[in-house]
Amino acid sequence: MRQPLPYETQVEIFSRFRAQEPEPRGELEHVNAYTLLVAVALSAQATDAGVNRATRALFQVADTPRKMLDLGEEALVEHIRTIGLFRNKARNVIKLSRILVEEHEGEVPSSRAALQALPGVGRKTANVVLNMWWGHPAQAVDTHIFRIGNRTGICPGRDVVAVERAIEDHVPVEFQRHAHHWLILHGRYICKARKPLCANCLIRDLCPFEEKTV
């Protein structure tokens, strides 16, 4: 496993990311904290684009926990049928909506522990909501971040929790707020798994990856 890149290199890398995209945004469409939570929960093993196609109509009729309960599980299934594992996800969305209504007055909590106590909400989903809605410097590690964190040495780790901690430990504090968004976008569009677009990479000269593509 690679050693983390030196502090000065991390500063240069994230300075370039920030110069290219000062305010990166997640690509899941939402209108409030609840719809963000639902969208992220639905995105497990699915693409953001696929989730967005399914939720545009859904969120027009169910953008609060109470409205989702009124819609019901079977109607929800029809909205999200194109998303993988849709039945299990629909069940979890109904369950978490009920808990939000009964235990949180219909509001999405701003605590990781409370979020992870909801059905279908793991650490990654909780971190996305904490970061995107509440502005916490929480790091949601997905397959893209895990790959480029180890490939580049920005945040190496043997599992997603280790990579999350590596971001917290080695990425300069001034970049923590948007770090996971910059890394996700870089992994999704440039530092791809099979054929990374190294010729288009703005940190190519700082990356120790030996198998750079032409």
Side-chain angles (χ1 to χ4, degrees):
M1 189 172 68
R2 295 190 188 280
Q3 291 300 306
L5 294 175
Y7 177 82
E8 294 77 9
T9 307
Q10 300 270 13
V11 170
E12 179 62 24
I13 285 173
F14 283 95
S15 294
R16 294 182 190 183
F17 285 152
R18 182 170 62 187
Q20 183 183 58
E21 186 65 58
E23 293 289 331
R25 293 283 183 263
E27 296 182 328
L28 287 171
E29 297 172 5
H30 60 282
V31 297
N32 53 30
Y34 173 71
T35 54
L36 173 61
L37 174 64
V38 171
V40 180
L42 293 176
S43 72
Q45 300 181 46
T47 65
D48 288 358
V51 172
N52 289 338
R53 284 193 294 271
T55 57
R56 284 178 191 133
L58 171 64
F59 292 157
Q60 289 180 6
V61 296
D63 60 356
T64 69
R66 172 51 65 190
K67 289 179 182 177
M68 191 67 75
L69 292 176
D70 291 342
L71 180 67
E73 185 174 330
E74 289 308 311
L76 172 57
V77 163
E78 292 306 310
H79 277 281
I80 66 171
R81 186 176 290 278
T82 55
I83 299 174
L85 306 175
F86 62 91
R87 287 201 176 276
N88 188 55
K89 290 177 179 179
R91 192 174 305 115
N92 283 334
V93 168
I94 294 298
K95 288 179 180 178
L96 72 82
S97 299
R98 183 167 292 109
I99 291 172
L100 291 177
V101 169
E102 295 176 353
E103 300 181 17
H104 299 281
E105 299 181 345
E107 300 295 327
V108 174
S110 59
S111 132
R112 180 184 284 112
L115 286 167
Q116 287 190 243
L118 298 171
V121 177
R123 187 178 182 87
K124 176 191 165 188
T125 297
N127 281 349
V128 172
V129 174
L130 290 172
N131 182 283
M132 289 182 62
W133 192 259
W134 299 109
H136 296 184
Q139 310 301 331
V141 177
D142 68 354
T143 55
H144 296 302
I145 294 180
F146 184 80
R147 178 179 68 255
I148 70 172
N150 283 286
R151 178 183 279 173
T152 66
I154 292 173
C155 47
R158 298 189 184 281
D159 55 42
V160 293
V161 174
V163 170
E164 180 182 334
R165 288 174 180 161
I167 297 174
E168 295 169 349
D169 290 344
H170 301 290
V171 173
V173 173
E174 64 180 297
F175 303 111
Q176 291 274 336
R177 172 70 174 82
H178 295 307
H180 91 272
H181 278 131
W182 283 317
L183 293 171
I184 287 172
L185 294 172
H186 189 64
R188 184 174 290 165
Y189 297 110
I190 301 296
C191 197
K192 299 180 180 182
R194 293 183 180 274
K195 294 183 179 180
L197 305 179
C198 297
N200 300 330
C201 177
L202 79 168
I203 63 167
R204 175 175 177 158
D205 58 315
L206 304 172
C207 173
F209 182 53
E210 297 87 356
E211 302 174 32
K212 291 187 176 70
T213 57
V214 175

